Amino acid sequence: MDRSSVTRGRAPLIAAALAGGLLVGFAVAFRLEEESRRRLRKAFFELRELPFRVMV
Amino acid sequence: MAEQYDVIVVGAGVSGLTAACLLSKQGMRVVVLERLERLGGCCSNYDVRGFRPEVGAIFVIGHEFYYKLFELLDLRLEDYLDWKVIDPVYYVYFEDGSAYPLPRDIDAMAEVVRSISPEDVDGYYRYCRDMGKLFHVYLAFLRRPLPALQDLTSITGLARLAANRELIYAIPVNLKLLFRNMDRCVRGYFRHPRIQLMFGWENLYAGLPSHRCTGLFTAMAHFGRMGYYYPRGGMIAIPTALARIAEGLGAEIRLGAEVKSLIVKGGEARGVRLADGTALTSRAVISTAHSRVTYLKLVGEENLPSWAVRTVKRQPCSIPAPLIHMGLSRKLEGIRAHMSLVANPREQVDNIWADYYDRGLLYRPADGAYLLVCPTFDDPHLAPEGKDVLSVFYIAPYRLRYHDWDRIAVDWAWEVVRFLDHRCLPGLADAVEWLDSVPPTELERRLNVAEGAFFGIEMSLTNMGPFRPNYRSRLVPRLYLAGQCTNPGLGVPGAMISGVADAAIILNDWTRRLG
Ligand SMILES: Cc1cc2nc3c(=O)[nH]c(=O)nc-3n(C[C@H](O)[C@H](O)[C@H](O)COP(=O)(O)OP(=O)(O)OC[C@H]3O[C@@H](n4cnc5c(N)ncnc54)[C@H](O)[C@@H]3O)c2cc1C
């Protein structure tokens, strides 16, 4: 069996794990209190901005 | 056509004047353009009927750095500035009416700690030992002779300056402070909530609650004990001294000269256009205005790629520093120090962020925390004889959700005055002869600092070092940025360091790029 077919065989598993992770992530984020959710949003925003800030 | 100047400096704050001094000393033709009729920007005093409160900065931490700057200029600091050490460092007024001075002397402070919580005395001495290690790194750095200006930007020059034995001894403390928040650090040394407050409220300077603020701010209380300094004549004495030196070295300083835009030719900064229409040309421009002002207004959005406009707009400003200035008709007995802290229990101070600040709300005066500053305590000449100047710093957001600052600023200020009168300064309300309420929006208008920000741009890890606007603009060749929005940030000495850095970089670029 070549390597690409191994990967293809595991694809549904990986997709399910990702979807599960996403669901758990949403659930956790949903249950966070307002302050923590705000901090999380800010952390993501800051992370996204970093490469641009270096260029200014 | 030959340019009129080698370097045009936008802004006569401490950063611009520092760069002007150093570049003039190198024989460059320099002009400093300042929109106000007053020197100093955020480090200045203004005058209303003989009352001269500070516009922004109220004291200097790390005054030793100034001696280094004067070394670079081959001058003696004593000939220009007269420092006074602030002692007691603070007076603290607690919510039950009790008050304590925080003296500079280590053992005298230990007695204050003992009088509140004897079991914290050991922790206090441990704290002094640990923070002392950091202070020694700073002192060792200051003992080193500075390399020549142009070598200050080289990696080896900087490494030689920074390398010292004390740095190694301080590594464990540094790591502890770096990887813990301030709340945890303070709790690690002290148990009693009041002692924790005395050593753990400087997170207000960072604009963050203590559990979100880096532990490095824990060192600030100790640095204050090692010396917060105040120049005779008020904070404006610092830019005045720098302006005198710059002019002596041949620089031109123009007050009331607002720069409307940069002249951008072939994508490069080649001069400026003033509000009155005059055009001035130069080989390089240093802007010390806030990065949003520099890029969005002076350079202009049309001269920048859209991602850069977005990035500059989105970079968060530090918290604003709203103020209430007062001229008092008499000296009040309740004012017992240059600086006083009026605070509630520590948790309540921390909750100001989540409960009010982040939601755009203003609290009842009794729920706030206030820093009172009385510069006439150390220099009586800043008010008419027998009178006092008092300024009150408080925490409040730039945008209020339900109110307009311009409408409520004066009423709010009087509410605060009445609260302070009741809580710790009896007779204050009656003694107010003149009052000036400066909310963040007004600070922004007066100083041209976006959002009236205390330190320009937020002092957080993602907005420091490589993530703060570059000294040498990556967007517009021949444009250099200095001041509180650049590195290292954090106040007057930080802004001056950026002026030194710009001068060193331009000097190097002169031979390699600017031609
Ligand atoms: C309320 C407040 C309290 C503070 N307290 C302290 C403190 O206690 N200790 C401390 O160390 N630091 C303190 N700081 C920070 C410190 O004051 C600043 O970091 C420092 O003064 C900044 O100097 P600067 O030269 O970078 O900028 P600025 O002082 O802002 O100077 C920039 C200058 O540029 C001028 N300018 C802007 N736009 C134009 C234009 N288009 N044309 C011409 N001129 C222009 C402005 O008028 C200003 O004079 C405080 C700041 C504030 C706001």
Side-chain angles (χ1 to χ4, degrees):
Chain A
M1 219 193 305
D2 67 8
R3 204 189 286 172
S4 65
S5 58
V6 172
T7 319
R8 228 177 289 135
R10 285 188 189 154
L13 261 177
I14 295 171
L18 280 178
L22 219 63
L23 263 175
V24 172
F26 269 125
V28 170
F30 203 69
R31 290 168 122 242
L32 286 177
E33 46 185 83
E34 192 191 322
E35 159 77 351
S36 316
R37 226 181 300 163
R38 210 184 55 76
R39 280 166 62 185
L40 205 66
R41 257 202 311 270
K42 166 121 169 111
F44 276 123
F45 166 79
E46 289 288 303
L47 216 60
R48 200 185 56 200
E49 289 293 305
L50 291 184
F52 299 107
R53 284 185 191 153
V54 175
M55 298 308 296
V56 170
Chain B
M1 197 182 78
E3 293 87 357
Q4 291 159 283
Y5 296 98
D6 290 321
V7 181
I8 291 175
V9 180
V10 183
V14 287
S15 60
L17 290 169
T18 302
C21 288
L22 292 168
L23 291 170
S24 305
K25 188 169 163 50
Q26 299 294 326
M28 294 186 192
R29 291 164 301 158
V30 179
V31 64
V32 182
L33 304 169
E34 169 57 53
R35 62 188 268 278
L36 299 175
E37 294 292 346
R38 186 184 62 223
L39 291 170
C42 298
C43 177
S44 192
N45 294 67
Y46 69 116
D47 190 330
V48 179
R49 301 202 299 270
F51 292 108
R52 294 169 56 205
E54 256 93 38
V55 168
I58 48 175
F59 65 83
V60 162
I61 186 168
H63 80 300
E64 297 86 352
F65 164 74
Y66 293 71
Y67 289 88
K68 286 311 234 192
L69 174 66
F70 276 70
E71 232 175 70
L72 273 176
L73 291 164
D74 294 327
L75 295 170
R76 268 165 36 96
L77 181 132
E78 296 82 343
D79 297 335
Y80 292 87
L81 284 169
D82 183 8
W83 297 116
K84 190 160 192 305
V85 65
I86 296 178
D87 193 9
V89 190
Y90 294 105
Y91 224 88
V92 182
Y93 295 93
F94 289 113
E95 74 285 0
D96 63 355
S98 57
Y100 297 86
L102 308 191
R104 273 190 74 217
D105 183 75
I106 302 259
D107 295 322
M109 184 62 211
E111 287 315 307
V112 175
V113 173
R114 195 186 309 280
S115 69
I116 298 172
S117 168
E119 59 174 0
D120 274 324
V121 173
D122 284 348
Y124 165 70
Y125 278 115
R126 192 157 47 84
Y127 166 86
C128 291
R129 244 189 342 267
D130 281 358
M131 301 306 135
K133 286 180 192 157
L134 296 186
F135 196 70
H136 285 134
V137 174
Y138 167 66
L139 289 183
F141 158 73
L142 289 171
R143 275 197 297 272
R144 300 251 151 151
L146 279 182
L149 184 60
Q150 57 268 41
D151 295 333
L152 269 177
T153 51
S154 78
I155 302 276
T156 43
L158 284 174
R160 221 173 293 140
L161 204 60
N164 59 58
R165 216 171 343 134
E166 280 78 0
L167 199 62
I168 298 169
Y169 299 141
I171 285 175
V173 186
N174 248 320
L175 290 178
K176 190 162 81 179
L177 298 189
L178 194 64
F179 290 109
R180 287 182 188 172
N181 64 44
M182 185 168 164
D183 182 52
R184 213 174 137 205
C185 292
V186 171
R187 282 175 198 278
Y189 292 109
F190 307 107
R191 287 186 220 162
H192 196 289
R194 287 205 166 164
I195 307 290
Q196 287 175 357
L197 180 72
M198 283 178 170
F199 289 88
W201 66 271
E202 273 88 353
N203 54 299
L204 297 193
Y205 289 123
L208 294 167
S210 58
H211 58 269
R212 269 162 55 195
C213 177
T214 159
L216 289 170
F217 272 78
T218 317
M220 209 163 152
H222 186 74
F223 274 58
R225 204 137 287 117
M226 296 297 103
Y228 284 161
Y229 283 79
Y230 188 70
R232 201 174 296 281
M235 293 299 283
I236 196 172
I238 300 172
T240 305
L242 293 173
R244 211 174 106 205
I245 295 167
E247 284 181 323
L249 292 165
E252 201 183 312
I253 298 176
R254 294 197 205 172
L255 299 180
E258 178 168 3
V259 173
K260 207 73 197 153
S261 60
L262 252 64
I263 298 172
V264 181
K265 262 194 205 150
E268 294 187 335
R270 302 306 300 240
V272 300
R273 202 171 296 284
L274 301 185
D276 67 6
T278 316
L280 300 175
T281 55
S282 63
R283 294 160 79 187
V285 177
I286 296 178
S287 175
T288 66
H290 193 283
S291 53
R292 281 194 203 165
V293 175
T294 300
Y295 281 119
L296 306 180
K297 294 199 180 140
L298 302 187
V299 173
E301 295 188 21
E302 65 283 5
N303 289 313
L304 296 170
S306 56
W307 66 263
V309 172
R310 242 186 354 256
T311 304
V312 172
K313 274 187 189 164
R314 283 175 176 174
Q315 188 148 28
C317 291
S318 76
I319 58 155
L323 285 151
I324 302 165
H325 299 295
M326 286 169 263
L328 307 184
S329 58
R330 62 193 166 85
K331 296 204 174 280
L332 293 183
E333 246 178 50
I335 300 177
R336 291 175 234 172
H338 191 131
M339 298 193 284
S340 311
L341 178 72
V342 180
N344 292 320
R346 193 148 165 267
E347 287 74 23
Q348 208 174 327
V349 176
D350 266 355
N351 286 346
I352 292 178
W353 307 104
D355 292 349
Y356 301 100
Y357 187 89
D358 292 342
R359 297 179 185 178
L361 302 178
L362 204 51
Y363 36 82
R364 289 180 313 132
D367 293 330
Y370 305 91
L371 181 64
L372 314 187
V373 184
C374 177
T376 35
F377 192 85
D378 276 322
D379 188 345
H381 296 106
L382 295 171
E385 207 177 329
K387 303 188 177 189
D388 256 342
V389 167
L390 186 70
S391 301
V392 180
F393 282 78
Y394 58 95
I395 305 161
Y398 173 63
R399 269 192 205 85
L400 292 175
R401 190 184 281 185
Y402 301 114
H403 296 284
D404 174 358
W405 269 121
D406 289 340
R407 286 182 179 207
I408 65 159
V410 174
D411 290 344
W412 159 254
W414 276 106
E415 275 186 52
V416 172
V417 168
R418 280 191 287 273
F419 161 71
L420 293 173
D421 181 312
H422 173 73
R423 170 89 169 256
C424 55
L425 297 179
L428 175 66
D430 285 340
V432 175
E433 184 176 316
W434 156 84
L435 181 143
D436 183 19
S437 182
V438 192
T441 43
E442 179 59 18
L443 208 61
E444 179 177 45
R445 279 192 290 266
R446 288 190 192 180
L447 298 174
N448 213 12
V449 171
E451 300 186 11
F454 191 64
F455 289 138
I457 283 174
E458 194 175 272
M459 293 301 307
S460 57
L461 279 183
T462 49
N463 290 285
M464 280 155 67
F467 310 120
R468 237 170 154 72
N470 284 293
Y471 291 134
R472 186 196 290 119
S473 171
R474 296 222 161 128
L475 301 168
V476 184
R478 292 177 187 261
L479 170 64
Y480 298 80
L481 274 75
Q484 51 190 345
C485 288
T486 59
N487 278 305
L490 269 184
V492 175
M496 291 167 83
I497 289 174
S498 72
V500 176
D502 265 20
I505 293 171
I506 288 183
L507 207 59
N508 280 309
D509 285 357
W510 223 238
T511 40
R512 277 188 263 133
R513 302 181 192 205
L514 297 176

